[in-house]
Amino acid sequence: MLEAHQLGKAYRLGETEVVALAGVDLTFPRGSITTVVGRSGCGKTTLLRLLAGLEQPTSGALRRQGGPVRTGVVFQEARLMPWLDTLGNVSFGLRRRFPASVAEERSRVALETVGLSAFADAMPSQLSGGMAQRVAIARALVTEPDLLLLDEPFAALDAFTRRAMQNELIAIWQKKRPTIVFVTHDVEEAVLLGQHVLELERGRVVGHEPVDLPFPRDPTATAVNDHRRRILANLTAPAREPETAVLPAPDKEPSR
Amino acid sequence: MPRLSTLAVFLAALAAWHVASTSGWVTPFLLPSPQAVFETLVELAGSGVLAKHTLVSLRRVASGYLLAIAFAVPVALLFSLSGALRRMIEPLLEFLRQIPPLAMMPLLILWLGIGEAQKIGIIVLSCFFPIFLGVRGGITAVDRKLIDVGTVYGFSRTEIMLRIVLPSALPSIVVGLRIGLGYSWRALVGAELIASSAGLGYMIVDAENLARTDIVLAGILVIGVLGLISDHLLRYLISRKASWLSGDLEMARA
Ligand SMILES: Nc1ncnc2c1ncn2[C@@H]1O[C@H](COP(=O)(O)OP(=O)(O)OP(=O)(O)O)[C@@H](O)[C@H]1O
Ligand SMILES: [Mg+2]
C-alpha cells in the first residue's frame, strides 16, 4: 500500500511560487490500478515524480507499507539512451541484476509484448515516436516492477495500437498484479483502465470516481459512457477556487 | 572514397600551381613547379630522409597527444565529481588557457632544454584544453531526463557516471579529441621550426636556410597529408565503434 499524506510540491519560478501539487491525501492499495486525469499543467507529472522518488515533496509525506518496492516508470517522453539499440535500451536496468544472456532473453520477451521484435537492433533515431514510446514501456515492464508509474504512455499512439496496448497492460496487471498509477488526459482511457479515477485540477484532487466494471471494458458500453460523462462534468464545472495555484513566494526555505 | 567533385577541386588547385610556376609569373625559386616538388619528394623518400623526419614527428605527436588525454580526461572527471575542487582550480586553468602555447616556448626551452621533453610539452599544452573542455562540456550538458531513468533503476553515482553520463558526453568528448589532434600537429611543427635537429618542421627550416624551396613545399605537403590521414583514422575509428555519433562528427572541423 502506498499512501500520500498532505503531499505537496511547490516550484519556485522567479519571484513567484508555483504550487504544482497542493497537499493531496491519496491511497493506492497494493495491486490496484488507479488512473489520474486532468488538464495540462494540473500536476499529474509532478504527482508521478513524487511517487517515483525522483522529487522530494515540499510538504507532507509518502508512506509505503510492506517491503521495498521495485519501481518502473514510463515517462511522458520516451527517454531512450541514444547510444543503445532497442534491445540495449530495454535491458538497460536488467544488466546489474542478471547475467547478460538472461537480461537479453527477458528483453526479447518484453519487446514481443509491445510488438517490436523486428526492431531489436534499431537505434532510437530510427524509431517513430510511438515506437520509441513502446520501447520505453517494454523497458519499464521488463523489470517486473511492483509499482508501475505511467505518464501518458499511449498519447503518441494511433487508436488501434493504443487499444492493443491498453489490453496488453490490463493483461499484465491481471497476471502480475503490480500497483499501477496511470496518468492520462483522455477521460475515456481513464475509465477503461482504472479501478479508481482521480480527477486533478490545479494541484488538487477535485474528484474520485470508482469504476467497478470487469476487464476488458468495452468503450461503447453505456456504463463506461456514464462514468466518462460524470468525470467530464466534474472537471468542466466552474472553478471551485479562485486562482490559488500561484502564490507569492514565501521568504523562507527555497523550494527545489 | 573521395567524391569526383572533391578530386576535381584538388586537381584544379594543382593545375593553378602548375600554370603559376611554369608561365614565368613567379620565379621557380619562389614557387617550384609541382613536378619539381614531386621529384624532390621521391628523392627524399628514396634516401630515407623523409621517413626519418616523419617518424620523429609522428612519435612526438603520439606521445604528446596521449599524454594530454591522460591528463585532461581524469582532471575533467574529477571536476565533474567535485564542485569544490572545480571552483578552486578552474580559474587558474582558465588563466592558463589564454596563453598561446608557442608563447611558452622560451620558458619550456629554459626548463626542459631543446630535447624531446620540450617538444612533447608544447604538444601537451596545445591539446590539453580542447580535450579537457570537450569532456567537461559533454558532462555538463548531459540530459537530466536520462539520469532520471537511472535513478528509477536505483543506480549508484558511479553507475550513473559510467552508464549514462559518459556515453552521453561522448559526442562532445570526440569533438575535443579531434580538435586536439589538429592542434597537436600545428604545435609540433611550430616547435620543430624553432629549436630542433630532426622532424618535419626541422626539415623545412633547414631547407629554407639552404634556399631549397622545393624541399620546403614537399615538407608542407607531407604535413598536410599526414594531418588528413590521422583525422580520417580517428573518424573511421569513431564510425566503427560509435556509429550513432557520425552526425556529431562534422562539428569537429577545426
Ligand atoms: N521543474 C519545474 N520547475 C518549475 N515549475 C515546474 C516544474 N515542473 C513542473 N512545474 C510546474 O508545475 C505545474 C504542474 O506541472 P506538471 O508537469 O505536473 O503538469 P501535468 O499535469 O503533467 O501537465 P501535462 O498534461 O501538460 O503534462 C505546472 O504549472 C508547471 O509549470
Ligand atoms: Mg505531464
Side-chain angles (χ1 to χ4, degrees):
Chain A
M1 187 142 86
L2 183 60
E3 282 180 328
H5 294 281
Q6 284 300 302
L7 190 68
K9 178 77 189 177
Y11 292 104
R12 189 175 275 260
L13 217 86
E15 287 300 291
T16 55
E17 182 158 272
V18 178
V19 179
L21 209 59
V24 294
D25 286 310
L26 297 168
T27 305
F28 304 96
R30 181 190 292 274
S32 67
I33 176 161
T34 306
T35 50
V36 182
V37 276
R39 62 188 83 205
S40 182
C42 70
K44 305 183 296 292
T45 297
T46 304
L47 172 65
L48 226 54
R49 290 181 62 83
L50 285 164
L51 296 178
L54 286 170
E55 212 84 62
Q56 292 308 309
T58 41
S59 68
L62 265 178
R63 211 165 295 165
R64 280 182 217 292
Q65 275 159 26
V69 290
R70 188 155 51 237
T71 309
V73 179
V74 178
F75 294 94
Q76 202 163 347
E77 328 80 29
R79 302 195 183 185
L80 303 181
M81 308 295 149
W83 57 91
L84 296 175
D85 62 12
T86 299
L87 198 66
N89 267 291
V90 175
S91 63
F92 188 67
L94 284 183
R95 296 258 156 102
R96 59 204 305 269
R97 292 200 286 133
F98 300 103
S101 59
V102 179
E104 182 180 329
E105 184 52 40
R106 288 191 179 211
S107 302
R108 286 198 188 277
V109 174
L111 267 184
E112 201 167 328
T113 36
V114 297
L116 287 178
S117 296
F119 291 87
D121 300 328
M123 298 305 281
S125 58
Q126 298 169 318
L127 301 174
S128 73
M131 287 157 80
Q133 192 62 8
R134 280 188 281 159
V135 174
I137 292 166
R139 178 177 66 183
L141 292 178
V142 78
T143 58
E144 307 202 328
D146 350 81
L147 175 62
L148 182 56
L149 308 169
L150 305 105
D151 197 351
E152 304 190 22
F154 306 150
L157 304 182
D158 63 279
F160 306 104
T161 314
R162 171 191 287 234
R163 184 63 22 94
M165 294 297 299
Q166 288 168 346
N167 292 337
E168 195 56 55
L169 182 71
I170 290 301
I172 286 167
W173 175 71
Q174 285 174 328
K175 204 159 67 193
K176 305 261 160 75
R177 287 287 158 164
T179 309
I180 294 183
V181 182
F182 186 106
V183 163
T184 176
H185 54 239
D186 179 347
V187 177
E188 181 186 287
E189 185 170 60
V191 174
L192 284 178
L193 297 180
Q195 295 174 304
H196 313 270
V197 181
L198 294 178
E199 297 149 39
L200 223 59
E201 201 172 284
R202 285 207 223 105
R204 292 170 195 280
V205 177
V206 295
H208 168 222
E209 178 93 1
V211 182
D212 192 13
L213 298 170
F215 292 109
R217 294 171 181 167
D218 174 6
T220 57
T222 348
V224 168
N225 206 27
D226 287 345
H227 284 294
R228 200 176 69 88
R229 274 217 302 276
R230 212 159 31 238
I231 295 169
L232 276 174
N234 192 22
L235 279 175
T236 47
R240 270 151 290 252
E241 324 246 349
E243 292 286 323
T244 49
V246 178
L247 305 169
D251 299 325
K252 54 185 174 60
E253 52 170 345
S255 56
R256 290 207 314 123
Chain B
M1 275 311 285
R3 283 192 299 159
L4 227 59
S5 50
T6 315
L7 275 177
V9 171
F10 269 97
L11 285 177
L14 206 63
W17 175 11
H18 176 79
V19 171
S21 61
T22 51
S23 63
W25 296 338
V26 195
T27 63
F29 169 66
L30 293 182
L31 187 66
S33 70
Q35 296 95 306
V37 171
F38 182 72
E39 277 158 24
T40 308
L41 207 53
V42 171
E43 190 190 309
L44 286 171
S47 66
V49 173
L50 187 63
K52 183 190 115 194
H53 289 303
T54 305
L55 276 180
V56 168
S57 290
L58 278 179
R59 210 169 42 229
R60 288 172 179 159
V61 167
S63 351
Y65 185 59
L66 292 179
L67 213 57
I69 294 178
F71 280 127
V73 175
V75 174
L77 287 183
L78 269 181
F79 277 18
S80 307
L81 288 175
S82 161
L85 198 70
R86 178 173 52 86
R87 279 186 293 277
M88 227 165 67
I89 303 179
E90 200 152 47
L92 175 67
L93 281 181
E94 275 304 305
F95 169 76
L96 291 176
R97 191 161 73 87
Q98 308 307 321
I99 305 167
L102 283 182
M104 297 286 286
M105 273 289 282
L107 261 189
L108 282 179
I109 292 175
L110 283 176
W111 290 347
L112 303 173
I114 57 165
E116 291 307 289
Q118 166 255 340
K119 264 120 211 145
I120 292 172
I122 203 90
I123 296 173
V124 173
L125 282 181
S126 306
C127 56
F128 175 87
F129 283 106
I131 300 171
F132 170 78
L133 291 177
V135 180
R136 279 277 300 138
I139 292 178
T140 315
V142 60
D143 189 353
R144 316 273 332 160
K145 294 181 167 185
L146 295 184
I147 294 183
D148 280 349
V149 174
T151 311
V152 167
Y153 281 137
F155 279 14
S156 67
R157 266 174 72 94
T158 322
E159 276 176 297
I160 287 185
M161 192 62 165
L162 291 179
R163 298 196 52 198
I164 299 178
V165 177
L166 277 186
S168 52
L170 214 52
S172 165
I173 295 176
V174 160
V175 169
L177 286 177
R178 216 178 140 201
I179 295 177
L181 189 59
Y183 280 19
S184 67
W185 261 116
R186 295 170 204 192
L188 170 77
V189 175
E192 286 178 346
L193 285 172
I194 295 174
S196 180
S197 56
L200 288 170
Y202 166 76
M203 190 181 90
I204 292 174
V205 261
D206 191 45
E208 187 209 343
N209 293 335
L210 299 173
R212 290 286 303 272
T213 333
D214 53 334
I215 300 186
V216 172
L217 275 168
I220 288 173
L221 287 181
V222 170
I223 289 170
V225 168
L226 284 178
L228 273 184
I229 291 177
S230 59
D231 190 54
H232 273 276
L233 271 179
L234 190 64
R235 292 218 289 172
Y236 173 74
L237 221 80
I238 290 161
S239 65
R240 281 294 301 274
K241 296 283 171 203
S243 53
W244 76 95
L245 287 183
S246 305
D248 296 300
L249 276 176
E250 290 318 305
M251 296 188 297
R253 292 204 177 278

